[in-house]
Amino acid sequence: MNMIQAINSAMDVMMARDPDVIVMGEDVGYFGGVFRATAGLQAKYGKTRVFDTPITEIGIIGVAVGMGAYGLRPVPEIQFADYIYPALDQLVSEAARLRYRSAGEFISPITVRSPFGGGIFGGQTHSQSPEGIFTHVSGVKTVIPSTPYDAKGLLIASIEDNDPTIFFEPKRIYNGPFHGHYDRPAKTWAGHPGGEVPEGYYRIDLGKASVVRPGNDVTILCYGAMVHVVVNTIEELGNVDAEIIDLRTLVPLDIEAIEASVKKTGRCLIVHEATRTSGFGAELSALVQERCFYHLEAPVERVTGFDTPYPHSLEWAYFPGPVRIGTALKKLLKD
Amino acid sequence: MEAERDRSNLPPLSLHVPEPKFRPGDEVDFSTVDVPAAGSARRPDTADPANSFHELAYTLVRVLDDAGNAVGPWNPKLDADTLRRMLRSMALTRAFDERMFRAQRQGKTSFYMKSTGEEAVSVGAAIALAADDMCFPSYRQQGILLTRGCPLVDMMNQIYSNTGDKLQGRQLPIMYSEKRFGFFSISGNLATQYPQAVGWAMASAAKGDSRIAATWCGEGSTAEGDFHSALTFATVYRAPVIFNVVNNQWAISSFSGFAGAESTTFAARALGYGIAGLRVDGNDILAVYAAMQWAAERARTNQGPTLIEHFTYRVEGHSTSDDPTQYRSAGEPTSWPLGDPIQRLKQHLIALGEWDEERHAAQDLALAEEVKTAQKLAEKNGILGHGLHQAFETMFEGVFEEMPWHLKEQCQQMLDEQKAAGL
């Protein structure tokens, strides 16, 4: 399966298992979603469980919160993460705090799916990576898969989770693991182990990172599409024994995996597409510094998007690709 | 060139910034407020289409006339026991407000908000709705809880954030959550409850349930984007929901003109969405009850949502942190042409021969005593800042269903810090 099919399969599996799971969002119903993630679901489960919504992100999330309070398990879609901002009040002030402020009387077991990230010439409003906004909010979980297999297992776990979950789907890797070279032929998921996805139910617990490549020289922390860019860069360099960790869940974070790896390698590179200042990499860097200070042999490095809006024509100068990652590794490993 | 066209012969544009009629020191004259006669508004069929509600969105549904008689097609013809229950619930709400306002002034809690003058809006609704219909209130519908029988001590424990507070001292006073009384967790963020109520109603409909949802916000909050989103969703899916706009003329210091009231009514907003809109005398509990009961029937029979504007007046300050004499005339509350909801129902019951001044005075005394007794009980669990609070570690619980490592660490850090400081 590609990632779209895996995500579709996760919703299909959960809708079949739990009559309280409903799917809603702009164009998700009859049409099956602008990325086809919900294709076929309305025909299979009916219009009261899979339906199109008006174009109002406040409404989509606000209504989902109300449905969750009733006892349903809504899976709302925000068409692009760049358009999640109108719903921020409902997510930050309501979904995230409902359990806390009502001492558990009401909960918000919603899973907000949203395509995110760049590398597709999406310009300013089809490329953003706003995960740092959500990791800063107490009460929401943030999940970002990097393979079809993980996407299905993590989405099922998110839907089953009784806490609100932001599920960001790296749209650059919907159809294949991106190697980081926009000018070379794209790969597909065929032949990639992460593209082998079981038809039925399985779950990947939230809060567990995955060691994509074991190594001893440097720990690279990444997630989403950047996992594949990093893997490919390390393969191309050929001379760096990097341990690549795919975080998969940003909150709750698998701190044990990070700590164990950095203490082993003594060096840490953080890679994300999102802008640098106050991005999630800053939190990772602080945690590594606090917990692995006496094991560090070099300052923690970050390769991230620049602190600018996402540009259209200069996308490949902006994107944290192989050249930028290679340069950072050289600096980290020079002693 | 267009940009260089000579505009010197055009009058300059001017920006209109609304201004309330009366400011501090002004003499109040509300004679321009249009008050249609009681009984003059027609009562449509609950199945009528939304586009037939035009005049009902601009008039006022009123039942009680100046002499205290119930008149017209909206007269719900309630029995005397129900009328006395309404009167008691409104009087209890006012007594509770008085006592808790004073508790704040005595430094026993940080904050309180009264609903003086608006008791009919909450009490009338609570009696018209079924006990298991879900209410999504704003912060000024305490009358719903008091009518539905929420123990006063529980409400006071929340206000005091003490050891008996089941919200564990996490919430600002009056932000109640009472699932058992169909009262959704109150949020400080205005109008967020509006789309949530629609979602709850849609869920009820999707599940083939028979319960409906009702929600409340002030006229000021109708300016929020959530209001628009909620009405759009409600009309699209014909959600079984009742929208209540409590137009008490004031949003803190801003008069209703800043929410658009100079140009239209709030009930009229409904019409553009294809939602039935009613405008009622919010100080006439029989009108409030009748409109709610009508809207509930409309919702329960799958005829869709209704918006009710309750035309009333915020008699007191916005909150204990507010001083209304700074922005409005002190004469406003007493000059309000729709009077006081408690006095009007009392007059009606007396006119029916079902009540008298002596019983009324005795009831007020008994309610004051009931509230005082509850207050003493609640204060045994502590008042704000006097040490009887929830255990420190409860602060970290309930953020998530299970506490993640980072919260466990922070909890331990706090306990260690407290211990090191000898606390």
Side-chain angles (χ1 to χ4, degrees), chain A residues 57-93:
Chain A
E57 288 76 16
I58 297 178
I60 292 168
I61 301 303
V63 159
V65 170
M67 289 179 153
Y70 178 92
L72 300 189
R73 208 167 269 283
V75 187
E77 176 182 302
I78 299 295
Q79 203 162 75
F80 287 87
D82 314 62
Y83 303 135
I84 206 165
Y85 308 118
L88 270 188
D89 191 32
Q90 286 287 345
L91 286 168
V92 174
S93 312

Side-chain angles (χ1 to χ4, degrees), chain B residues 66-229:
Chain B
D66 291 346
N69 300 309
V71 297
W74 286 93
N75 180 4
K77 300 194 171 91
L78 297 172
D79 60 74
D81 283 344
T82 305
L83 294 173
R84 279 189 290 261
R85 186 176 162 225
M86 284 176 161
L87 188 67
R88 185 184 184 283
S89 292
M90 286 199 289
L92 173 62
T93 304
R94 190 164 294 181
F96 187 88
D97 280 353
E98 289 298 332
R99 193 92 204 160
M100 290 296 98
F101 187 90
R102 206 182 321 159
Q104 191 278 338
R105 288 294 187 249
Q106 291 167 339
K108 292 174 175 177
T109 185
S110 61
F111 185 72
Y112 192 72
M113 296 176 105
K114 287 174 147 187
S115 63
T116 313
E118 302 172 39
E119 294 90 348
V121 174
S122 300
V123 174
I127 292 178
L129 294 169
D132 58 353
D133 290 334
M134 182 60 87
C135 297
F136 289 77
S138 79
Y139 44 71
R140 227 184 285 279
Q141 277 77 50
Q142 53 264 54
I144 295 172
L145 276 182
L146 291 161
T147 307
R148 284 185 165 180
C150 184
L152 307 187
V153 178
D154 292 356
M155 294 171 71
M156 289 169 174
N157 284 337
Q158 197 282 326
I159 290 165
Y160 288 137
S161 281
N162 60 23
T163 56
D165 174 13
K166 73 186 172 66
L167 302 187
Q168 300 183 281
R170 292 172 184 165
Q171 268 282 45
L172 189 70
I174 66 123
M175 303 282 182
Y176 312 105
S177 179
E178 287 289 356
K179 194 173 189 179
R180 65 197 160 139
F181 294 107
F183 194 90
F184 186 71
S185 158
I186 297 175
S187 169
N189 297 66
L190 298 178
T192 51
Q193 72 275 16
Y194 251 58
Q196 291 164 2
V198 176
W200 197 96
M202 286 173 66
S204 181
K207 286 302 219 183
D209 199 343
S210 60
R211 291 179 292 165
I212 63 172
T215 185
W216 286 258
C217 76
E219 90 285 350
S221 301
T222 63
E224 294 281 6
D226 302 69
F227 180 83
H228 164 70
S229 290

Side-chain angles (χ1 to χ4, degrees), chain A residues 186-214:
Chain A
K187 290 183 184 176
T188 69
W189 285 110
H192 190 287
E196 285 167 31
V197 180
E199 293 289 336
Y201 172 92
Y202 67 93
R203 54 175 283 155
I204 297 172
D205 288 342
L206 306 185
K208 297 272 179 253
S210 129
V211 178
V212 177
R213 181 195 188 280

Side-chain angles (χ1 to χ4, degrees), chain A residues 19-20 24 48 51-54 56 58-60 62-63 65-67 69-70 72 89-90 93-94 96 98-106 138-141 162-163 251-255 287 291, chain B residues 134 166-168 170-171 177-179 183-187 189 192 195-196 198-200 202-204 206-207 209 211 225-226 229 232-233 236-237 394-395 397-402 404-406 409:
Chain A
D20 289 334
M24 58 192 281
T48 57
F51 53 86
D52 293 311
T53 64
T56 158
I58 297 178
I60 292 168
V63 159
V65 170
M67 289 179 153
Y70 178 92
L72 300 189
D89 191 32
Q90 286 287 345
S93 312
E94 303 295 318
L98 189 53
R99 176 192 296 280
Y100 192 74
R101 76 171 195 232
S102 72
E105 273 198 342
F106 298 96
S138 310
V140 290
K141 295 178 176 173
N162 286 326
D163 294 314
V251 176
L253 184 67
D254 189 346
I255 192 66
L287 286 167
R291 283 159 192 269
Chain B
M134 182 60 87
K166 73 186 172 66
L167 302 187
Q168 300 183 281
R170 292 172 184 165
Q171 268 282 45
S177 179
E178 287 289 356
K179 194 173 189 179
F183 194 90
F184 186 71
S185 158
I186 297 175
S187 169
N189 297 66
T192 51
Q196 291 164 2
V198 176
W200 197 96
M202 286 173 66
S204 181
K207 286 302 219 183
D209 199 343
R211 291 179 292 165
D226 302 69
S229 290
T232 302
F233 259 83
V236 166
Y237 303 98
T394 61
M395 172 166 62
E397 294 164 0
V399 179
F400 296 98
E401 185 172 34
E402 285 171 39
W405 66 268
H406 64 284
E409 271 193 11

Side-chain angles (χ1 to χ4, degrees), chain A residues 277-311:
Chain A
T277 302
S278 305
F280 191 64
E283 180 64 27
L284 290 171
S285 176
L287 286 167
V288 166
Q289 188 270 141
E290 285 163 7
R291 283 159 192 269
C292 310
F293 185 77
Y294 295 106
H295 294 79
L296 286 176
E297 293 168 43
V300 176
E301 280 288 321
R302 283 182 285 167
V303 176
T304 69
F306 296 115
D307 285 338
T308 70
Y310 204 104

Side-chain angles (χ1 to χ4, degrees), chain A residues 34-35 77-82 113-117 128 167-171 174:
Chain A
V34 295
F35 289 104
E77 176 182 302
I78 299 295
Q79 203 162 75
F80 287 87
D82 314 62
R113 288 183 42 248
S114 192
F116 97 130
Q128 294 170 32
F167 192 87
F168 280 135
E169 302 167 1
K171 57 187 168 302
Y174 269 157

Side-chain angles (χ1 to χ4, degrees), chain B residues 334-357:
Chain B
T334 47
S335 309
W336 185 242
L338 297 177
D340 177 274
I342 294 178
Q343 292 306 317
R344 286 176 67 190
L345 181 60
K346 174 186 155 195
Q347 182 194 22
H348 176 55
L349 267 164
I350 291 174
L352 290 175
E354 295 287 351
W355 195 246
D356 54 53
E357 293 290 354

